[in-house]
Amino acid sequence: MVMQSLSLRLKTIVGIALIEIATLSVLVTITLCYLYETNYEGMEQRVSSTLDLYSTAITNPVLSSDLATLHDYTETLLKNKGVKYVAVLNNSGTILAEGGDYPSRFTPGMLEENSKAVTDSIYDVSHRIEEAGVTFGTIWIGFSMADIKSTIATAAKWAVIIVVLDILFVAIFSYILGTMLTKRLETLSAATAQISHGDFDIQLPLKGNDEVSKLTHAFNQMIMQLKSTTEQNFRYQSQLQEMNSSLEEKVKARTSQFLTVNQQLSTANEELIATQHQLIESEKMASLGIMASGFAHEINNPAGVISGNLSVCQSYIELYKERFKRQQALIDQHIDSQYTQSLNQWLKLNDFNFIDADILDSIKDSIKCVERIHSIVTALQYYSNERNNSRDGIEPIDIYPSLDRAISQTYKDESIELLLSPELRALPRILGIPNELDRLLTEVLQNAFQACQQKPQDTSSVAISSRVIEKHIILSIKDTGPGLSEANVKHLFDPFYTTLPVGEGMGLGLTYAYDIIKHLKGKIEINNWESGAEVILTLPTS
């Protein structure tokens, strides 16, 4: 719900930032793990080679009790970086040679299994001095772990700095991209609002040759056509009004025949005004169809990239979760709990259980938002294509089968009572296309059932009745919903206008119904009655 309420610009920034954070998190984790493993493996190799070389070098001095030589070798080894202490003991535990900050006692409990198990920053190791299978003493060496830990800490610090700088760069780039994408759309939106107030003195500047520029060009042409049509109709109205005034002065001295002519002119005036409104509405719908086609192509590309990357990130995270799960199992199996205590505390401190669940939820939410964008774009494309497609296959059709199919598709809530009048089965045929009539009745019934659900009560109902008047079928659909406000009535047939909560409807249902009823040469009216709203469809018979 939060993502749906954001602007297109902010959605672009948030979507790209989430992808970048997920990607960098994976890369940083892999890099630090590799650095961690490489340094500790290098320490193990260094310890092994040092023990082998040193034991080989001092075997003869130990056997010959050459303490001076033994002391020289010990001092030489201590000069190596990272060696904290060296001690050579005979079988009775007497120190033959020592150097550095060595411990007061040498016991097996001091020894660590490997360099990863070190907790006191000194890696204590020992090696027996053997010759021909006989042990003559023991070498004890302490290696400092400070350099390795410092290297890893420095790498982690730089990784964090790089991640922060990269996220900042992506945020700036996303903001610039979002601004470029929405700036011209905001200009079009402002121009549309200006037109809705009757101001046609607008000429939008053309920049570039992309889809938005083509849309702007089509918008300018629409404005010119609307302005020309409005001026022409205004002249017609002025002329008719002048003629009407002139006739009113002559009517007083003329016969009833002139009264009839005057009435005919008034009727023509009303029809002309109605035609004007219909023409403006048609021009507006056509313009919106062009806009829909342009928006669909412009938005589909980045939305598709975002959706694909989010799905890939989702699968990668699942793999890394499985990898860490297996690593944890190996740690629990091969490392004593006293050595993993600090790791477990760190995991608990950073609430990794919550992170494991939340990161996938976040990506799923992002995917849902992209899917919502895709559904809106699909609706835009469908609306544009439906208005441009030719309508063939007009034939005499019965209303009741289409009504029955529409009820089957929309009547899902049995708590709403459905009332059908008997005369619906005996209605005369109309000229039309079965699929269009199905769509018309489906959209109107869907609105009626949704209205009842918006106003829960003990007895909600939808009543459908009909009558035939002068070769016209009058179909009435009444609901017991909350009814319509005066402000809503003015915009019922506008594309994407809906009174439903965000995410539950796109506001195209009554727009489709309006287009279809006009194609059938009929009329649609929506009014309030004492218990809700009533939709009246007037259809000519065949």
Side-chain angles (χ1 to χ4, degrees), residues 79 181 186 212 219 316 482:
K79 293 178 181 179
L181 182 62
E186 290 174 353
V212 177
F219 189 84
Y316 285 174

Side-chain angles (χ1 to χ4, degrees), residues 185-461:
L185 297 181
E186 290 174 353
T187 302
L188 284 173
S189 177
T192 304
Q194 194 171 346
I195 291 175
S196 67
H197 290 88
D199 184 3
F200 297 98
D201 294 328
I202 305 171
Q203 186 69 25
L204 298 181
L206 294 177
K207 297 179 180 179
N209 193 31
D210 55 11
E211 287 78 4
V212 177
S213 297
K214 294 177 181 178
L215 177 61
T216 303
H217 178 68
F219 189 84
N220 286 335
Q221 289 183 331
M222 178 203 71
I223 295 172
M224 293 174 63
Q225 292 175 359
L226 285 175
K227 184 177 181 180
S228 175
T229 302
T230 302
E231 292 176 350
Q232 185 177 10
N233 288 331
F234 180 77
R235 288 195 300 270
Y236 289 161
Q237 287 184 4
S238 299
Q239 292 173 5
L240 287 172
Q241 288 174 358
E242 291 176 2
M243 291 173 65
N244 190 36
S245 299
S246 170
L247 286 172
E248 285 179 353
E249 293 177 358
K250 295 178 181 179
V251 149
K252 297 177 182 179
R254 299 202 178 201
T255 63
S256 59
Q257 181 180 1
F258 288 98
L259 291 173
T260 303
V261 173
N262 185 47
Q263 182 63 38
Q264 292 175 347
L265 288 173
S266 298
T267 303
N269 185 37
E270 292 175 358
E271 291 177 352
L272 188 61
I273 293 175
T275 302
Q276 174 193 356
H277 291 312
Q278 185 177 357
L279 182 60
I280 292 175
E281 187 69 19
S282 298
E283 292 287 349
K284 182 172 69 174
M285 295 296 184
S287 302
L288 288 171
I290 297 172
M291 292 172 66
S293 178
F295 286 157
H297 180 75
E298 191 72 16
I299 296 174
N300 251 341
N301 289 339
V305 174
I306 293 173
S307 178
N309 288 342
L310 287 174
S311 298
V312 171
C313 289
Q314 188 177 21
S315 62
Y316 285 174
I317 290 174
E318 288 287 355
L319 291 175
Y320 275 102
K321 287 179 66 176
E322 180 62 24
R323 173 188 174 183
F324 294 149
K325 180 180 178 181
R326 295 186 180 186
Q327 287 179 342
Q328 185 63 42
L330 291 174
I331 291 173
D332 294 339
Q333 181 179 358
H334 297 291
I335 300 178
D336 192 90
S337 60
Q338 64 176 330
Y339 302 123
T340 61
Q341 184 177 4
S342 61
L343 175 60
N344 292 332
Q345 290 177 349
W346 183 82
L347 292 174
K348 184 176 181 181
L349 177 64
N350 289 276
D351 201 2
F352 262 69
N353 290 332
F354 170 78
I355 292 175
D356 286 344
D358 187 65
I359 189 170
L360 287 177
D361 289 341
S362 298
I363 292 181
K364 288 178 181 177
D365 289 342
S366 299
I367 292 175
K368 287 181 180 178
C369 291
V370 174
E371 291 174 350
R372 173 67 176 163
I373 294 174
H374 179 70
S375 66
I376 293 173
V377 171
T378 301
L380 284 167
Q381 290 175 320
Y382 180 81
Y383 175 72
S384 176
N385 293 336
E386 279 295 297
R387 290 192 55 81
N388 295 325
N389 289 340
S390 61
R391 284 163 165 155
D392 300 322
I394 295 178
E395 60 186 56
I397 54 176
D398 292 318
I399 291 180
Y400 188 79
S402 292
L403 179 61
D404 187 56
R405 288 190 291 270
I407 291 173
S408 299
Q409 292 182 20
T410 58
Y411 186 41
K412 308 298 182 183
D413 189 352
E414 295 183 357
S415 65
I416 302 173
E417 184 180 10
L418 180 61
L419 305 174
L420 300 176
S421 64
E423 65 268 19
L424 289 169
R425 295 178 180 271
L427 292 174
R429 289 185 169 188
I430 66 169
L431 286 176
I433 302 174
N435 289 341
E436 282 194 342
L437 184 57
D438 289 357
R439 182 66 180 271
L440 168 64
L441 296 175
T442 298
E443 296 297 349
V444 174
L445 285 176
Q446 182 71 32
N447 274 13
F449 289 127
Q450 288 176 344
C452 290
Q453 292 171 345
Q454 288 180 0
K455 184 183 177 183
Q457 51 189 325
D458 295 335
T459 56
S460 296
S461 66

Side-chain angles (χ1 to χ4, degrees), residues 106 116 118 150 196 214 259 416 516 523:
F106 297 93
K116 296 179 181 178
V118 174
S150 175
S196 67
K214 294 177 181 178
L259 291 173
I416 302 173
I516 294 170
K523 186 169 62 173

